[in-house]
Each structure stands twice: as C-alpha cells, then as structure tokens.
Amino acid sequence: MLRVAVVGSGPSGVYAAQDLVQQSQVPDVRVHVLDRLPCPYGLVRYGVAPDHEKIKSLQNNLRGVLEQERIDFVGNIEVGAHGLTPGRLLELYHAVVYCVGAARDRRLDIPGEDLPGSYSATDFVSWYSAHPDASRNSFALGARSAVVIGVGNVAVDVARILARGADELRPTDVPEDALGALALSRVRDVHMVGRRGPSQAKFTTKELRELASLPSAEVVVEPADLSLDPVYADTSGTLAAALPAVGRRNVDVVRGWAAQPPRGLDRRIHLRFFLRPVEFVEQDGHVAAVRFERTVPDAGGSVRGTGTYEEIEAQLVLRAVGYRGVPLPGLPFDAALGTVPHTAGRVLRDGVPSPGEYVAGWIKRGPTGVIGTNRPCAKETVASLLEDGAALALRSVAADPVAELRAAGHHPVEWTGWQAIEAAEAALGRTLGRRSVKIPDWDGLLGAATGDTAR
C-alpha cells in the first residue's frame, strides 16, 4: 500500500487527493487529507464571500471527493513549527503533498499602515467567514467612510459586503456576531482604489457587475479617472482589441457606470483609478484618511507618479493587494517568489528532488489563477508522485498514522467529527431563525466535533 498525506483540504489539496486515487494504476493507494482546522474546504469555506452561494456550492463537489473510500479527512492536525514536522510526516507516510496556500497578505510598506482602523482584507474576510483564528473586534464599522486598496476580486468582495445591508446577508451562513456588527455599521461611502486603470484591474467582469445589483448601494465612477486609461481614451478601438477579453469587458462596464446619473441610494461604492497610496493619515491615534499620489500610464505598461496628491477620508481601511506564501519550517523556501522550490511538483532541496515531498497549489506556483487553475496544477504534481511511487512504497512507514497521531497527543477530527460540526451549525441556524450558521470559535468547533458542548 502507498500511503500519501495531503496537507491542506482546500481545492488544491482535494484535487490532488482525487487525482491520486483516479490516476494511480495501483489500487491500494490510501490518502489522508490533513488540515490544521477541524473543518475541510479551505478558502471555499473561509474565503468565498457568504453571498456567493454558487461558488460556495463547490463544497458539494469537494465533499464528494473526501467521502471516497480511499480518502480520509483528518482535521485539527497542525503541520509546522508547533505541530508535525516534514521529517515526522515522512515517517508516517510514503509521500507528502503540501497544499498550504499563501497565508500572508502583501504589505504596502507606507507610513501609518499599522494605525488602528487599518486592516488587511484577509482579516476582514476571516471575520465575516467565521474563521476560528479571526479577531472578534467587529472592525471599525462605526466609520462613515471606508477605503479598500486594491482592484482584485477580494477587494470587490469586501467592498460589496460593506455596502450590503444586514438583511441581505441574513439568509447566508455569516456568523451571528458579524451580522449584528454589520447591522449597526455606519459606513455609507466605500472607496475602492487602484493604482492602474480598469483595463488592467485584476477583478473579473462577473465580480465587477455584481456591484450594480446591490439593492441599497450605487456605483460611482470619476470620469476624470477613466480618461487616463489608454484603452478607455482610445476611440479607434486599437488598444482595446489587443486586450484580453476580460479587460475590454471591464472597461465597458465601468464606462457605462460613469455615464449614469446618481440614484441617491443609501450607500455608495466609489471606483477610483490611477491613485497610488503613499501614507495613512492619522488623527487622534486612528487612521482618518489615505493620501494618494495621482499616477499616469507609462510606456512600459505600468504607471508613474505625477507629484499630485489627493486625500480620501477613511476611518476604516482594508488592504487587498495580494497574498504571499510563508515558509513552512523544515521545507525549503524561495523568499523572493514566496513558493517552495520544485520541479513539476517535486520539492527541491539544494536543487535536487527530495524523495517523497511534493507541492501543489499556491505554495507551488504563487497566488495566481482561479479555483479551477488548481486542477491542472494538482494533476502535474500527482503525475510526478506516481512516477516515483514504486520506489517510495519500498520505505517502511506507520501502519496506522492516525493511531500514531493520537498516541503522540494529537486530537484528530475525522469525517464523523466534521459531520457533527455541520449538524451543530444547522441546529444553531434553526435557533436563530436562519439557515445553517457557522460556529466562529475553536472551542465551539471542537466541542461540536467531539460532542463536548462544555468546551
């Protein structure tokens, strides 16, 4: 039997597990999908916005994989500095596939970035997604004006959540404390700001268009910002023709909004372009505004500063400028790329493939692509692992890794424990007159998994 551990139960990890049992010519491959959390699905559970029910329904597909006979979910198992080491995993399994994502937000590295009221967008997403590590501080929802720095899909998500009324989110699984805080929110103006124009923004057209469907918020666009975009300003259509289709569509959507008169709705999402943050402005020990430098396109396809500045009022700032992988103690790491060095998914130590160690997902290729991008990425890694499988299977490993983990003092949450968490969340929703509502804390999750409600 070839025993494989997949570290991480998000899409990249689940797709790797699926490929291992489907591609293998050996019928006795057994896969344990390990996760630090007692819940599977990774960013599909804890990163997809609660009002994106179609994307969240991907959990049903991931569930079907994790319920397969030769795949077992093993949650509440940490790998790294405070848990299992890569060396220990290779004592338990013939091979290990690391699918640990990119857990750290990129920083802006500008003055005032750490002022109270300034947060990473990931912190905000974790809060409204009920991640058990999330802060329960309710953020600065007493603010009047919020600035979201970034023009990718995460930026669109957090801007949309800020602009939604709590009644619109009540049918979702957003945790009760976040729902209550959002109901009291005083935020009326949300400014989503990018240093380039709409033709180069990272959001998808589908995400962008959703902003126009909010019943209590309208989208406001500054025509002066758009006039700087070479594609927007090109009346011949030559530049637009050279763009990827998504860039052309985004320009068309934003152009349409710029032509619309204000509707006078309760909340406003301001799309701002060609502004680069240079400083967070402090007042009374709290962020009060963000200072931006006006940018213009340069000949190389990027932007340059103009020396002209503008301040946008903000008592709440959410930074959504990308992710970065973090080192996993015991694994090699390329600090420049934020990834683990590899060849076709095989981990490289000092430039040489390390037997039994593999990577897939963002820790392999960097934080790029959409959920579906993980499929070919996982397939390549699994193909490499299975090419090595005959040699890997010769090593002696634990007959029952989960029993070994328990004997060492770990408390794994297996599939039945996860099903108990789901049942508890459904019951919580019923008591609140809602659909299933996420349990937001470690004690609640582990208590539900074990039946120990006194935790």
Side-chain angles (χ1 to χ4, degrees), residues 109-388:
D109 293 326
I110 61 175
E113 184 171 5
D114 295 319
L115 280 168
S118 168
Y119 305 93
S120 75
T122 298
D123 288 343
F124 188 64
V125 170
S126 294
W127 173 71
Y128 68 61
S129 297
H131 194 292
D133 291 338
S135 169
R136 311 253 74 84
N137 66 5
S138 297
F139 292 81
L141 296 177
R144 300 179 302 278
S145 177
V147 164
V148 179
I149 299 175
V151 283
N153 283 346
V154 173
V156 175
D157 278 350
V158 298
R160 191 181 66 253
I161 294 298
L162 282 171
R164 275 203 185 278
D167 287 343
E168 299 169 41
L169 293 170
R170 184 170 294 280
T172 73
D173 63 1
V174 68
E176 192 71 5
D177 60 344
L179 187 68
L182 289 165
L184 299 174
S185 171
R186 295 173 52 212
V187 174
R188 293 297 177 265
D189 289 280
V190 181
H191 304 262
M192 189 168 69
V193 188
R195 64 188 179 93
R196 300 185 185 186
S199 64
Q200 294 179 304
K202 299 297 185 183
F203 41 58
T204 60
T205 308
K206 179 179 181 297
E207 288 265 3
L208 184 63
R209 284 175 173 154
E210 285 180 346
L211 296 179
S213 66
L214 302 180
S216 57
E218 61 183 316
V219 181
V220 180
V221 180
E222 296 283 344
D225 289 357
L226 298 186
S227 66
L228 296 172
D229 193 303
V231 174
Y232 181 86
D234 175 30
T235 57
S236 71
T238 304
L239 293 176
L243 266 185
V246 65
R248 295 195 300 272
R249 290 194 298 266
N250 288 343
V251 169
D252 289 342
V253 170
V254 175
R255 179 187 285 120
W257 287 337
Q260 292 178 356
R263 292 187 290 160
L265 296 181
D266 189 43
R267 296 182 177 91
R268 292 156 295 280
I269 299 175
H270 304 262
L271 293 188
R272 300 298 311 274
F273 300 100
F274 294 104
L275 292 172
R276 177 167 57 201
V278 294
E279 181 184 6
F280 289 15
V281 180
E282 178 266 341
Q283 181 178 325
D284 299 328
H286 195 280
V287 67
V290 182
R291 191 171 191 233
F292 293 91
E293 181 182 17
R294 169 66 70 187
T295 64
V296 293
D298 65 17
S302 186
V303 293
R304 60 178 175 82
T306 64
T308 301
Y309 297 89
E310 174 182 342
E311 286 188 7
I312 298 178
E313 177 191 358
Q315 299 81 36
L316 169 64
V317 181
L318 299 174
R319 311 179 306 272
V321 292
Y323 300 95
R324 185 172 180 79
V326 297
L328 188 69
L331 277 186
F333 188 73
D334 185 327
L337 298 177
T339 59
V340 171
H342 72 93
T343 296
R346 294 180 176 93
V347 172
L348 299 178
R349 292 183 180 271
D350 299 322
V352 178
S354 176
E357 294 185 310
Y358 304 85
V359 285
W362 279 1
I363 200 63
K364 171 187 174 183
R365 67 180 190 273
T368 60
V370 295
I371 289 175
T373 312
N374 290 297
R375 284 193 177 276
C377 176
K379 190 176 292 291
E380 177 190 56
T381 295
V382 168
S384 295
L385 190 159
L386 294 176
E387 284 178 13
D388 306 336

Side-chain angles (χ1 to χ4, degrees), residues 63-78:
R63 172 194 299 277
V65 175
L66 293 176
E67 288 181 332
Q68 291 185 26
E69 184 179 356
R70 290 186 286 152
I71 298 175
D72 294 305
F73 172 72
V74 186
N76 198 36
I77 299 296
E78 184 164 1

